[in-house]
Amino acid sequence: MTSAMCSNRREPRPRTRWSLRARLLTGQALLLVAVVVGIGVASEIGLQKLLIGQLDAQVMDLQNRTLIGLGGGPRLGPPPPPPVTPPSPVAQAPTASTAPQAPPSSANPEPSAPALGQHDPGMPGDHGPRPGDPPSGSGALVGGPEPQQGPTDGPSPPRRGGWQRGGAQPGPGGPPGHAGPGGGGGASTHSAQVSPPPDTPPAGPEPGPAFLGRGGIEPGAIGAIIGHGTILSAGRIGGDGTVNGLSAQARRQIAALPIIGEPITVALDGVGRYRVMVDQTWRGTVVVTGLPTAAVDATLMHGVVISVIITVVALIVAIAVGVLVIRRALAPLDRVAGTAARVADLRLDHGEVALPVRVPAADAASNTEVGQLGSAVNRMLDHIADALSVRHASETRARQFLADASHELRTPLAAVRGYAELAQRNRGVMPAFIATAMVRLDAAARRMSDLVEDMLLLAQLDAGRPLGREPVDLSRLTVDAIADAHVADPDKTWDLDLPGDPVVIRGDAARLHQVLANLLTNARVHTPPGTTVTVSLEVDDRAGAVWRVCDDGPGIPQEVQPEIFERFARGDSSRSRHAGSTGLGLSIVAAVIKEHDGTISVDSVPGCTAFTVRLPIGDVAG
């Protein structure tokens, strides 16, 4: 059907946007979260550096004590000087050129060296060999007097009655008395027991290096001694103070550590993360010590939890406070918006309009942005009120003039029509051209009378003349109007689409009949023969009664549609016309529909033109 083709177009749904209050509150919350997170991250980084620095200081202290116990290393500075031994009496004897030397088989003179079990004056603090002590040479057994050497070699005097350590000669590049890759062992007398090899794990049950068994080392510390890439001993102090071994994977990880001279972090298999130091001793072995980072990690995690709790609490407090502050700050803006809404609800299109609403003086007198807005709104309303007053006065004068002119023109037009009719009764006694002129004069007088009547009706509607309010059956009115149109133009097809039940509203029956008659006349006059015109009536739950007049004619040009309901508006010549038009028909339709609190719209494309009228049903019984 034509009415189906002329269905209303759907308008796109506008996107939902956040209010100013929501945007301000969201921005405040995001800013607070960013600040708190930034402070938390900076605090965590600073705290991590502080704790790692303190842990590194402890690791370096442990490494220094370990290196000192093992004879030192390059990181602690140059190697210690050899011990100075006073010359023995044998060394002061005459040389071969001045006195004969005693044969080796002669009786040994009484040596001035300390007896068995005494300490060498040149080796203070030497209390015997311990696991992890510096190496003390080859440990050669001396059973008789030592061969005497020249005073330039700096030898220690021969020892009797015990084992003598110090047979090793200084190595290349190392001072005498220093054991290691760069020097030999100094002369020192120890007990009769054989000392273990240097930097080797003890023969006892302890699995780790001997220095882990000394006091002053906190639980969890690790230590290892590496020789030629192979771990000689490695262990970890347990929570009960005992030294436990490490897994094979952890030992391989320790053996692969580089010597960089500063603490590094490494994750060891089975024991967790450690800060370790790797240094070389003067003997060429590598010493590894380290402390766990578990306490540092726990402290940092505790700080993260505290930061999260502070962030959540601060966010809740900020949102609560922000809601109150923003609501209080935007309250004047809400009052300004309320004033603008009340002005928007006023009828400003016709008649005398008063604008009694203004923004409160308290909201329009301050120097804030809202106060400036309120003051600007008040000034704008004053200008609008003045303009509306001027417009109302001008419209009043124009309506009065139009009403007076229309009223005055009715009498002479009635006289003209009367004389024209009188002349047509005596057509036989006058020439043919005069009779034709009288016919044309009568048609023009009738058209002008219709124009005057339309102008007078518009003037009355503009003046606010009330229309009748009585129950009107739109179904019956539609049938009568389309029957009249069919009689007036039988060359067109007139279709009717009505609901099963009558549609009754409250209104002025004569003016509503004129509305439908004008719409049908517009379709009859401006469409060619053979056009199908469909009139439909339906009930919409939201809009009430809906009248729709559709035709499949050439349509209304797009540039004319916005002005189609203006007075004396005419369509394009593409809509053919067989009779004259006053140009007031659709303006009368719009004015009558408006007085009934209804709306009218047009939707036209070539081949489909639809005028849609919506009228509220209201309380028909009242």
Side-chain angles (χ1 to χ4, degrees), residues 203-237:
E206 293 186 356
F211 62 80
L212 290 180
R214 299 173 183 175
I217 303 178
E218 65 179 77
I222 63 170
I225 297 178
I226 306 173
H228 303 290
T230 303
I231 293 184
L232 304 179
S233 63
R236 173 178 175 271
I237 300 178

Side-chain angles (χ1 to χ4, degrees), residues 26 28 44 57 59 101 115-116 195-196 290-291 326 350 354 406 415 453 501-502 510 547 561 574 585:
T26 303
Q28 176 187 0
E44 284 293 310
V59 173
Q101 292 184 356
L116 181 62
S195 173
L291 293 176
I326 293 175
H350 67 282
S406 300
E453 294 294 334
D501 298 329
W547 249 340
Q561 293 182 24
S574 62

Side-chain angles (χ1 to χ4, degrees), residues 497-499 503 536-540 544-548 614 617:
D497 183 11
L498 298 177
V503 179
S536 63
L537 177 63
E538 60 185 11
V539 177
D540 189 350
V546 179
W547 249 340
R548 187 173 286 109
R614 292 179 172 86
I617 295 178

Side-chain angles (χ1 to χ4, degrees), residues 211-299:
F211 62 80
L212 290 180
R214 299 173 183 175
I217 303 178
E218 65 179 77
I222 63 170
I225 297 178
I226 306 173
H228 303 290
T230 303
I231 293 184
L232 304 179
S233 63
R236 173 178 175 271
I237 300 178
D240 55 355
T242 60
V243 180
N244 303 316
L246 298 177
S247 65
Q249 178 64 22
R251 295 169 68 93
R252 286 192 295 269
Q253 291 175 329
I254 292 176
L257 293 176
I259 303 176
I260 60 176
E262 62 182 15
I264 59 174
T265 302
V266 60
L268 298 178
D269 178 64
V271 292
R273 298 193 331 134
Y274 273 76
R275 293 289 288 181
V276 299
M277 283 197 68
V278 184
D279 284 297
Q280 192 174 21
T281 65
W282 287 115
R283 303 183 184 89
T285 57
V286 177
V287 178
V288 180
T289 58
L291 293 176
T293 62
V296 175
D297 297 338
T299 302

Side-chain angles (χ1 to χ4, degrees), residues 70-71 93 207 224 231 244 250 261 273 345 354 414 416 478:
L70 296 177
I231 293 184
N244 303 316
R273 298 193 331 134
D345 293 337
V416 171
T478 303

Side-chain angles (χ1 to χ4, degrees), residues 28-190:
Q28 176 187 0
L30 293 178
L31 179 61
L32 178 63
V33 169
V35 171
V36 173
V37 170
I39 294 176
V41 171
S43 301
E44 284 293 310
I45 294 175
L47 181 61
Q48 182 184 24
K49 291 184 177 180
L50 175 63
L51 296 178
I52 291 296
Q54 294 177 352
L55 185 62
D56 289 347
Q58 298 177 12
V59 173
M60 295 175 67
D61 179 69
L62 176 61
Q63 183 77 343
N64 292 340
R65 288 188 284 119
T66 303
L67 287 176
I68 292 174
L70 296 177
R75 196 173 66 83
L76 298 181
V84 179
T85 305
S88 63
V90 177
Q92 297 177 358
T95 60
S97 60
T98 58
Q101 292 184 356
S105 60
S106 62
N108 292 329
E110 185 67 19
S112 61
L116 181 62
Q118 295 181 352
H119 298 290
D120 190 347
M123 295 294 290
D126 190 359
H127 299 286
R130 293 180 299 177
D133 281 350
S136 55
S138 60
L141 178 64
V142 179
E146 290 288 329
Q148 297 183 7
Q149 300 179 3
T152 57
D153 296 332
S156 61
R159 310 294 178 95
R160 291 188 307 169
W163 299 97
Q164 180 176 347
R165 242 180 4 172
Q169 298 297 326
H178 180 73
S188 176
T189 302
H190 294 273

